[in-house]
Amino acid sequence: MISISRRFLLVGLVGLFALPGAAVRAEEKKPAHGAVTATARKDAWWANRHQSFVNRAKKGDVDVVFLGDSITQGWEGAGRAAWKKNFAPLKAANFGIGGDQTGHVLWRITEGKELEPINPKLFVVMIGTNNGHSAAQVAEGVEAIVQELRRQKPNAKVLVLGIFPRDANAKAGIRGKIKDTNARIAKFADGKKVFYLDIGPKFLSEDGTLTKEVMPDFLHLSPKGYEIWAEATKPTIEKLLK
């Protein structure tokens, strides 16, 4: 794995959001290697949602943390029923924010201190679809997140999910990039503390196409899509919690 000391750069953050009990520094600047640069976003709504995670962590009683972007945040929307049935009983917390890239999640778990008060048994990470970087850079960003989770919570396990397929067309260019990225992040698994699971094929038709029934905009999941996600991951999650 890459060395955090060499590849993980915390940028100087500017701008200040006044939040109850916390301050969030943020910037819009996107460094060339931003996939592995811890960066806060400038949006006030983003800062407020981040703060809600800090507040949730202070309450404790969390065994599983889902980390990601809007697809993960969607457990509170289209995936609400599937979450309530499958993951709420496992003491799971949803720390997903729409639009996040790897660098934003990296900031949230470092400078943002979202995880400081809790000691989950498992992290479920699915991030990278929003990154405008190369497959190699996206993979480096995911790796930096995994390394940071292992550093902060050495007793926890990390389940990295392959980035979900996008675009209706099986031959779309984005499909190739996702395949390349997933092949890279799959190598981070050691079978002891870090695990990898690619459930992407579960969302596809036999010919490799995506349907609106599963992903209405060919990116975000429908209620049926979240049921597929839950069904495909719950057995592994329950196994890793033992």
Side-chain angles (χ1 to χ4, degrees):
M1 288 190 176
I2 59 173
S3 169
I4 288 290
S5 61
R6 294 180 180 179
R7 308 298 294 273
F8 173 42
L9 172 65
L10 292 177
V11 298
L13 302 174
V14 297
L16 187 65
F17 290 106
L19 295 172
V24 177
R25 295 184 180 278
E27 60 149 87
E28 287 185 313
K29 183 179 179 182
K30 182 179 178 181
H33 211 51
V36 288
T37 301
T39 310
R41 290 164 63 184
K42 189 174 182 179
D43 314 279
W45 67 265
W46 183 90
N48 289 331
R49 185 161 174 83
H50 155 66
Q51 183 61 32
S52 75
F53 300 157
V54 174
N55 295 340
R56 173 64 187 90
K58 289 178 180 178
K59 296 178 181 179
D61 199 30
V62 176
D63 284 347
V64 185
V65 174
F66 281 68
L67 280 171
D69 49 41
S70 60
I71 301 172
T72 295
Q73 183 174 347
W75 284 115
E76 298 172 9
R80 183 184 300 273
W83 177 273
K84 183 178 180 180
K85 179 175 68 175
N86 295 283
F87 300 128
L90 301 180
K91 297 182 180 180
N94 178 355
F95 282 15
I97 302 184
D100 266 12
Q101 300 179 16
T102 52
H104 303 132
V105 172
L106 202 53
W107 185 92
R108 292 200 276 122
I109 65 174
T110 54
E111 292 293 292
K113 303 184 184 302
E114 286 184 357
L115 310 175
E116 200 169 71
I118 53 176
N119 288 293
K121 297 177 181 178
L122 176 68
F123 291 97
V124 180
V125 180
M126 207 274 288
I127 190 69
T129 198
N130 293 320
N131 280 71
H133 304 89
S134 69
Q137 289 174 321
V138 175
E140 288 172 6
V142 174
E143 186 176 21
I145 291 169
V146 171
Q147 286 191 340
E148 183 61 24
L149 293 175
R150 293 289 299 119
R151 185 190 71 79
Q152 288 189 34
K153 311 293 179 180
N155 294 323
K157 296 174 182 176
V158 180
L159 175 61
V160 181
L161 299 182
I163 297 171
F164 293 170
R166 295 178 59 167
D167 201 290
N169 189 345
K171 296 181 180 180
I174 189 65
R175 294 284 193 98
K177 178 181 177 181
I178 290 172
K179 182 178 180 180
D180 186 3
T181 305
N182 286 346
R184 294 169 185 272
I185 65 178
K187 297 176 182 178
F188 305 153
D190 60 15
K192 298 177 181 178
K193 288 292 186 179
V194 181
F195 303 83
Y196 175 76
L197 181 63
D198 182 7
I199 66 170
K202 300 286 186 180
F203 300 112
L204 303 175
S205 301
E206 290 186 5
D207 61 359
T209 59
L210 270 175
T211 67
K212 290 187 176 182
E213 184 181 12
V214 175
M215 294 187 185
D217 61 355
F218 306 116
L219 170 61
H220 298 96
L221 301 174
S222 65
K224 179 178 179 179
Y226 280 102
E227 285 286 356
I228 293 172
W229 184 354
E231 182 178 335
T233 58
K234 187 178 179 181
T236 299
I237 290 173
E238 289 181 325
K239 180 179 179 180
L240 294 177
L241 285 174
K242 294 180 179 178

